[in-house]
Amino acid sequence: MSAAGEMALLLAQRLWIYQRERFPVARTALLVAVFSAASVNVSAFLAGRPLPSLAIYAVAFIVAFTVFLQLRACDEVKDADLDRRYRPGLPVPRGLVDLKVIVGIGLAAVPVAAVAAAMLAPALLWLLALAWLWLGLMTVEFFAPEWLRARPFLYLVSHMMIMPLLDLLVTGCEWLTASGAPPEKLWLFLVLSFVNGCVIEIGRKLRAPENEREGVDTYSALLGPRRAAFLWCALLLAGFGLLLAVGRAVGAFHAVAIVGFLGLAVCLVSALLYLRAPTKGAERRVDAMAGLWVLICYGAAGFVPLFA
């Protein structure tokens, strides 16, 4: 094998390790498929339209997966200094993969998403550009990194706004091609996306006291485990209320309510266990339940009405 071939093989091996640690491709693709298909379905349900063609689902998946991939790359850029100082074991600071390679992969995905969007509906490029603009502002932390990091809840809101913008893009694959205008009550689904982004972000930053580390901001350190857990529960309840509103809007209130309530109950039990004893096991359980809750919301809103 030539020297160039050996280098390419080594890079591929390193990227495989990187994706396993930081962006598991198979699992992410499955989650994005659920997320994008559910979002397309909700857009059609809200407008009282039949489900669209497979091409629309395919483009929705491509643009959503691209943005999630680029989110990973932008996080590597945004947190590069903190990772070098406090998390040297991560793939980029330990030298497994050069940051330029990760950024290059993110940039290489730009024409893929742009071409897919343009082939479906040229107007979709405006929504894609809006998501990319916000993603770029997040990467530079809105040109005020120190000021923003000193205000963690404003930081949370500013960064979680990417979720409704991404959902606007994905649902746009349906409503732009069908009518050119979003359904009247789509805003309920977009607000639910924002709240669920906060559920994920806070849920993954509720730590056991012994797991708190210097340089790693967590809500359990900022508020204390008890208040942070109550905040997470409040967001779950807000998400459940929004899910009920979406269920009513798509004409499947009772079925969506049952599925959502079961998911809510499981998540609240995990929060209660964390409150009683914020151990490493309780920490992992809350993190897992945060992801499960978001899956339940998208599944309930996007798929349950098909069977209700």
Side-chain angles (χ1 to χ4, degrees):
M1 182 181 294
S2 66
E6 290 179 354
M7 290 180 63
L9 179 60
L10 178 61
L11 178 60
Q13 292 172 340
R14 293 188 172 199
L15 285 173
W16 180 260
I17 296 171
Y18 175 87
Q19 67 85 30
R20 189 175 61 204
E21 295 184 23
R22 300 292 278 168
F23 190 80
V25 172
R27 187 176 69 187
T28 303
L30 178 60
L31 295 175
V32 170
V34 173
F35 162 79
S36 58
S39 299
V40 168
N41 288 355
V42 168
S43 180
F45 295 153
L46 288 172
R49 289 188 287 262
L51 296 182
S53 67
L54 289 178
I56 287 176
Y57 289 100
V59 172
F61 173 82
I62 290 169
V63 295
F65 188 85
T66 296
V67 174
F68 277 111
L69 173 67
Q70 292 167 335
L71 266 169
R72 176 72 270 154
C74 289
D75 277 347
E76 296 286 7
V77 174
K78 176 173 64 69
D79 297 334
D81 290 337
L82 288 174
D83 288 345
R84 277 194 297 269
R85 293 172 60 190
Y86 300 111
R87 299 181 285 262
L90 293 177
V92 171
R94 77 171 186 256
L96 177 70
V97 180
D98 193 279
L99 181 59
K100 292 179 181 178
V101 173
I102 304 303
V103 173
I105 292 172
L107 292 174
V110 168
V112 176
V115 169
M119 289 178 65
L120 182 66
L124 196 60
L125 288 171
W126 290 105
L127 298 180
L128 183 58
L130 181 61
W132 278 339
L133 172 63
W134 200 265
L135 187 56
L137 291 173
M138 287 168 55
T139 304
V140 297
E141 296 188 321
F142 300 89
F143 302 102
E146 297 300 326
W147 184 87
L148 198 57
R149 285 183 179 273
R151 295 160 175 81
F153 291 105
L154 183 58
Y155 186 98
L156 174 69
V157 169
S158 65
H159 283 61
M160 286 305 104
M161 280 300 298
I162 191 66
M163 293 307 299
L165 291 176
L166 178 55
D167 250 329
L168 184 64
L169 167 64
V170 175
T171 58
C173 294
E174 193 278 335
W175 55 260
L176 269 174
T177 55
S179 66
E184 182 181 348
K185 294 187 177 180
L186 182 65
W187 67 271
L188 289 168
F189 188 60
L190 301 184
V191 177
L192 175 61
S193 296
F194 171 79
V195 171
N196 280 345
C198 295
V199 167
I200 286 279
E201 183 67 7
I202 292 178
R204 74 184 186 90
K205 291 183 178 180
L206 292 185
R207 300 286 174 84
E210 62 269 28
N211 278 2
E212 301 286 4
R213 290 185 294 167
E214 182 186 3
V216 180
D217 296 329
T218 66
Y219 293 95
S220 49
L222 177 68
L223 300 173
R226 186 177 183 82
R227 287 197 294 171
F230 278 126
L231 173 61
W232 190 64
C233 291
L235 287 168
L236 285 169
L237 291 169
F240 180 61
L242 287 162
L243 179 62
L244 293 180
V246 172
R248 183 179 295 278
V250 300
F253 177 81
H254 292 98
V256 169
I258 291 170
V259 174
F261 179 77
L262 293 174
L264 177 68
V266 172
C267 291
L268 291 179
V269 168
S270 70
L272 177 61
L273 294 174
Y274 176 85
L275 276 168
R276 290 178 61 184
T279 62
K280 292 181 181 180
E283 169 193 315
R284 289 193 296 269
R285 193 180 300 112
V286 167
D287 189 10
M289 289 303 103
L292 177 65
W293 169 251
V294 174
L295 274 178
I296 286 172
C297 282
Y298 279 101
F303 299 109
V304 166
L306 293 172
F307 309 101

